[in-house]
């Protein structure tokens, strides 16, 4: 058995065990996740990702470990902006805090499948058509620019084609019934607003993947590194969501930091044939943009208080 095969097995084992513990044991019942619980689970997932990266360094080498860490930081930073969108989606549908974990749980399951498909397709496109690197780079730069200067996003679920399709073919109740996605009403199965919320969350993650996967592909084309770094970041999203939901007003400049990362990574892809930007420099720019945006956000929040 090769080192890479061992790492695949270790990765699958860790994710499977933690997936069951996090989503189906400790958080089996719907409940409002408090700040301390969210902080604890966030630290657990970050710690697991870093411990796994030690294994990557030992079995696959320092270069792969650096790629994993950079990809993880990129995915985690992009996910933060996505979580603010989830907050607006839950607010729009008036989803109770106690019911949000179930939606996020199934959203994460869908994200794991979608990201795997996107990674395979993205790598295949780049390998077969090198010019796709420039397409991905341009998409990232445009997204970064739009994020910085496009103003706040407006959530309009009623314009979502999947929501329209669901409303056309499935009876929808006006109110939620506990944390159920479907209920039987007068002998007919009907979907609840929670199911519509799940549809919007899943479709939003599909859009997010269009940004995040090319961004990580700018770092490495290794399927194992791209997928494992994505999965570790995604699995910690639910706890990170509740962590940020309590302190989101403190990170007013974080979106600017994320937009800088997108533009930098997109530029790196566009210049890939002209100049090779060292991975260490890329990681420094990414961490620098995040650190500056977080520190300035905290300073502004403190000043307003």
């Amino acid at each position: 058995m090769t080192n890479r095969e061992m790492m695949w097995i270790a990765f699958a084992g860790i994710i499977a065990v933690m997936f069951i513990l996090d989503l189906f044991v400790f958080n089996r019942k719907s409940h409002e996740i408090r700040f301390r619980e969210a902080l604890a689970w966030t630290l657990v997932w970050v710690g697991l990702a870093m411990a796994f990266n030690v294994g990557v360094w030992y079995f696959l080498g320092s270069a792969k470990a650096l790629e994993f860490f950079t990809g993880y930081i990129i995915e985690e930073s992009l996910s933060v902006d996505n979580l603010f969108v989830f907050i607006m989606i839950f607010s729009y549908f008036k989803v109770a805090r106690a019911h949000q974990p179930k939606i996020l749980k199934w959203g994460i399951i869908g994200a794991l499948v979608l990201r795997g498909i996107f990674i395979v397709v993205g790598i295949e496109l780049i390998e077969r058509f090198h010019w796709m690197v420039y397409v991905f780079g341009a998409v990232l730069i445009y997204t970064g620019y739009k994020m910085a200067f496009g103003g706040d996003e407006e959530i309009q679920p009623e314009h979502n084609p999947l929501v329209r399709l669901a409303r056309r073919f499935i009876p929808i109740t006006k109110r939620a019934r506990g944390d159920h996605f479907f209920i039987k009403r007068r002998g007919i199965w009907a979907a609840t607003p929670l199911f519509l919320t799940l549809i919007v969350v899943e479709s939003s993650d599909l859009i997010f993947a269009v940004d995040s996967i090319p961004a990580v592909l700018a770092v490495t084309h290794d399927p194992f590194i791209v997928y494992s770094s994505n999965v570790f970041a995604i699995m910690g999203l639910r706890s990170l969501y509740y962590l940020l939901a309590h302190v989101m007003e403190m990170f007013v400049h974080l979106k600017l930091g994320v937009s800088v990362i997108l533009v930098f990574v997109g530029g790196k892809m566009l210049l890939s044939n002209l100049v090779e930007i060292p991975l260490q420099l890329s990681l420094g720019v990414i961490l620098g943009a995040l650190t500056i945006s977080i520190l300035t956000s905290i300073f502004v929040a403190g000043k307003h208080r």
Side-chain angles (χ1 to χ4, degrees):
M1 183 180 296
T2 65
N3 287 345
R4 183 170 290 270
E5 289 172 340
M6 290 175 59
M7 289 305 299
W8 269 114
I9 293 173
F11 167 69
I14 293 171
I15 294 302
V17 171
M18 291 304 300
F19 184 85
I20 294 171
L21 290 177
D22 184 5
L23 302 184
F24 294 102
V25 176
F26 292 107
N27 296 295
R28 182 171 57 88
K29 295 182 179 180
S30 295
H31 67 287
E32 182 179 348
I33 297 179
R34 302 290 183 179
F35 180 81
R36 288 186 177 181
E37 183 181 356
L39 178 60
W41 275 107
T42 299
L43 293 176
V44 166
W45 279 112
V46 172
L48 276 176
M50 295 303 99
F52 182 78
N53 199 26
V54 172
V56 172
W57 172 81
Y58 183 80
F59 288 103
L60 301 181
S62 59
K64 291 299 180 183
L66 186 61
E67 290 177 0
F68 177 91
F69 184 69
T70 306
Y72 176 78
I73 293 297
I74 290 176
E75 180 63 32
E76 202 73 87
S77 60
L78 294 180
S79 298
V80 169
D81 184 65
N82 301 346
L83 294 178
F84 289 127
V85 175
F86 291 164
I87 291 174
M88 289 187 283
I89 292 174
F90 289 144
S91 175
Y92 179 91
F93 283 102
K94 298 180 175 61
V95 179
R97 283 183 177 269
H99 300 156
Q100 293 174 11
K102 184 175 181 179
I103 296 174
L104 290 174
K105 175 175 71 177
W106 289 103
I108 288 172
I109 294 173
L112 295 178
V113 177
L114 290 174
R115 297 301 172 94
I117 296 173
F118 266 63
I119 288 168
V120 172
V121 172
I123 292 176
E124 187 67 20
L125 285 174
I126 290 178
E127 294 296 330
R128 291 196 176 194
F129 311 103
H130 182 70
W131 52 266
M132 285 299 298
V133 171
Y134 306 117
V135 175
F136 288 158
V139 168
L140 292 177
I141 291 176
Y142 172 74
T143 305
Y145 174 83
K146 186 177 178 182
M147 186 181 294
F149 303 105
D152 294 331
E153 297 181 60
E154 292 185 4
I155 302 299
Q156 298 177 320
E158 296 304 321
H159 296 169
N160 187 304
L162 294 179
V163 171
R164 289 182 175 182
L165 195 65
R167 287 191 179 279
R168 184 174 181 181
F169 293 102
I170 305 174
I172 308 292
T173 64
K174 291 184 178 180
R175 296 180 181 179
R177 299 295 189 275
D179 64 349
H180 299 292
F181 292 133
F182 293 93
I183 61 170
K184 200 169 186 178
R185 186 182 61 177
R186 298 175 185 175
I188 299 175
W189 283 100
T192 69
L194 293 186
F195 179 69
L196 294 182
T197 308
L198 178 63
I199 291 177
V200 177
V201 168
E202 291 285 13
S203 58
S204 298
D205 185 74
L206 184 64
I207 297 172
F208 299 151
V210 175
D211 300 330
S212 63
I213 298 304
V216 180
L217 290 178
V219 174
T220 177
H221 295 170
D222 187 328
F224 173 72
I225 298 299
V226 177
Y227 189 62
S228 59
S229 61
N230 259 261
V231 169
F232 270 105
I234 290 171
M235 288 300 294
L237 279 186
R238 197 171 70 144
S239 54
L240 187 61
Y241 167 82
Y242 285 99
L243 191 63
L244 288 176
H246 290 88
V247 295
M248 63 179 297
E249 70 279 356
M250 292 179 58
F251 297 102
V252 293
H253 292 162
L254 189 57
K255 182 172 287 191
L256 289 176
V258 175
S259 66
V260 169
I261 292 173
L262 286 173
V263 172
F264 171 76
V265 173
K268 180 180 179 180
M269 297 186 85
L270 292 180
L271 298 174
S272 58
N273 275 351
L274 299 176
V275 59
E276 183 178 351
I277 300 176
L279 194 54
Q280 293 86 341
L281 177 59
S282 300
L283 181 59
V285 172
I286 293 167
L287 291 176
L290 283 176
T291 301
I292 293 173
S293 61
I294 291 174
L295 291 178
T296 54
S297 297
I298 293 175
F299 174 77
V300 171
K303 191 174 182 180
H304 282 304
R305 283 199 297 271

